[in-house]
Amino acid sequence: MTNTSTDDRSPWSVFLIFLRLGLTSFGGPIVHLGYFRDEFVTRRRWLSERSYADLVALCQFLPGPASSQVGIALGLSRAGYSGALAAWTGFTLPSAVALILFALGISNYGDSVSPGALHGLKVVAVAVVAQAVWGMARNLCTDGLRVTIMAIAACAVLLVPSAWGQVGVIAAAGIIGRLLFKPAHTVEHDPLPITVSHRAGALWLSLFFALLIGLPILAKLLPSPTMVVVDAFYRVGSLVFGGGHVVLPLLQAEVVSSGWVSNESFLAGYGAAQAVPGPLFTFAAFLGASMSTAPSGWVGGIVCLLAIFAPSFLLVVGAMPFWERLRRNTGMQAALAGVNAAVVGLLLAAFYHPVWTSAIFQPQDFVLALVALVALMFWKLPPWLVVVGSGAAGWLLSIAL
């Protein structure tokens, strides 16, 4: 089944393949996974259908952006560690550059940008997050217990609005899931085409936990704004289960509450992130470039981008040799079911605050958000087109009204 040609086994070839995907993969993580399947299972035959499904399952099991992690794993399978870096760089570069340029444009020319257009970007974020909440709830909250966990999680993070409050909710949901859920039996699968030794995997996982524990200590001991920012973004990248839009509440708690980025810029950037291809986690590059304190600009964007994606590298490579054991561990699967329900609650809370409360002030805002939601969910228009249309509509409404 696997294609044995060597023309695409070099890191440079892997980079070019993923760069093309990074330039064309609009539509969010689920759509990205579809692009990957077409490219690497159907067309290039890098791995079998069942191996790909198992790889997706592993990356959904881990915290972080699932589609980017699948890309990292595919690059690792083709060209080793350098292939993993090449795959991530190619897939991430286009959207990261676009969002950094957008952040610099707002910072330098914000006065010349129509406030109505920026407000339109904040309004379209309402539609995007509503669609994400609905889709995730349908898939992950399939019974009364899961819905209850979701509701309690949403209430808890709204009443205790802090990053550590959200971490506590996720941990509690994992314990509840471990105690109350009974996962289905595992299905037949093919071995993953990636060779990482148990010793190497243990070293990568040890480094992941060492940074997760050590960076907050270093941020306290070393009075460096850059260290504090790296700690915040690394922690977010380590604790986001569900990927994609779930990063919104954790990032908002870190960068808006601390005053690094204004709430208006945060939501405008989040809206703009829907209009670019590639992973949504590149929103971190926008935030880094928008910082009111050092690091900012290009340096800030790159620092935040590397910090939020670093856990994905360490977890994917570290978990690979232990996946066979993890996938058969029903306790871990049960805990993950509770965590998944809780992250829907986190996203629901973020939908209310800051997304709704910062964008919907009058009837025309609600009308624009509703039209954008219908365009996304029922007309199936591409997200970038809906974002551009909402920005234009916000500008026109500001003139007309």
Side-chain angles (χ1 to χ4, degrees):
M1 176 69 181
T2 302
N3 188 344
T4 58
S5 67
T6 58
D7 60 347
D8 56 4
R9 287 189 178 275
S10 71
W12 178 246
S13 296
V14 171
F15 170 77
L16 292 178
I17 293 168
F18 276 90
L19 179 63
R20 179 173 58 80
L21 290 168
L23 288 166
T24 57
S25 296
F26 291 90
I30 300 302
V31 179
H32 298 164
L33 294 175
Y35 282 121
F36 288 171
R37 179 188 171 277
D38 290 341
E39 183 73 22
F40 301 112
V41 177
T42 304
R43 182 168 169 240
R44 296 185 181 273
R45 295 182 158 189
W46 282 12
L47 70 173
S48 70
E49 187 79 61
R50 281 203 301 219
S51 290
Y52 180 71
D54 213 43
L55 187 60
V56 171
L58 167 61
C59 295
Q60 290 177 330
F61 179 87
L62 299 172
S67 61
S68 293
Q69 289 172 325
V70 169
I72 291 168
L74 288 167
L76 180 69
S77 72
R78 204 63 181 169
Y81 292 128
S82 58
L85 182 60
W88 173 78
T89 303
F91 189 58
T92 306
L93 187 63
S95 56
V97 170
L99 289 173
I100 290 175
L101 289 173
F102 180 69
L104 295 177
I106 290 180
S107 299
N108 296 324
Y109 306 105
D111 294 339
S112 61
V113 177
S114 166
L118 291 177
H119 187 67
L121 293 179
K122 292 195 290 183
V123 171
V124 78
V126 175
V128 171
V129 177
Q131 181 190 30
V133 170
W134 177 255
M136 292 180 67
R138 289 183 62 187
N139 292 324
L140 301 176
C141 301
T142 54
D143 55 39
L145 179 56
R146 286 174 171 84
V147 171
T148 301
I149 293 174
M150 174 191 70
I152 293 174
C155 295
V157 298
L158 284 172
L159 296 175
V160 186
S162 70
W164 287 111
Q166 294 168 0
V167 173
V169 166
I170 291 173
I175 295 171
I176 293 171
R178 176 68 178 83
L179 296 174
L180 300 181
F181 288 123
K182 294 181 179 180
H185 296 293
T186 57
V187 297
E188 186 179 359
H189 72 289
D190 294 340
L192 295 177
I194 299 172
T195 302
V196 177
S197 69
H198 282 76
R199 181 179 180 182
L203 288 174
W204 289 114
L205 289 177
S206 297
L207 180 57
F208 165 79
F209 286 108
L211 290 172
L212 186 61
I213 296 170
L215 283 175
I217 298 173
L218 288 175
K220 294 283 188 182
L221 297 177
L222 301 177
S224 166
T226 300
M227 184 61 68
V228 175
V229 168
V230 169
D231 168 43
F233 279 80
Y234 184 89
R235 186 168 61 250
V236 169
S238 302
L239 300 174
V240 174
F241 284 87
H245 300 282
V246 183
V247 77
L248 177 68
L250 287 177
L251 282 178
Q252 191 269 343
E254 294 288 353
V255 303
V256 176
S257 300
S258 62
W260 293 341
V261 178
S262 70
N263 202 46
E264 290 72 22
S265 293
F266 182 89
L267 290 176
Y270 184 73
Q274 316 306 317
V276 296
L280 185 58
F281 266 48
T282 53
F283 179 42
F286 170 88
L287 295 175
S290 303
M291 292 278 184
S292 60
T293 182
S296 60
W298 282 100
V299 173
I302 294 170
V303 166
C304 293
L305 188 71
L306 293 176
I308 201 169
F309 274 104
S312 296
F313 277 93
L314 300 175
L315 286 169
V316 168
V317 180
M320 202 66 65
F322 305 104
W323 176 231
E324 288 300 316
R325 187 181 304 170
L326 284 173
R327 74 188 308 279
R328 293 188 176 93
N329 189 317
T330 56
M332 291 294 291
Q333 295 176 28
L336 186 62
V339 169
N340 284 337
V343 298
V344 180
L346 264 64
L347 191 57
L348 179 60
F351 173 71
Y352 171 71
H353 180 75
V355 176
W356 180 280
T357 57
S358 298
I360 307 300
F361 301 117
Q362 45 198 345
Q364 57 263 36
D365 296 334
F366 179 78
V367 169
L368 180 56
L370 183 61
V371 171
L373 181 63
V374 171
L376 287 169
M377 293 188 66
F378 300 102
W379 300 343
K380 305 298 182 183
L381 295 181
W384 67 266
L385 183 59
V386 178
V387 170
V388 172
S390 296
W395 172 66
L396 292 173
L397 286 172
S398 67
I399 295 175
L401 302 177

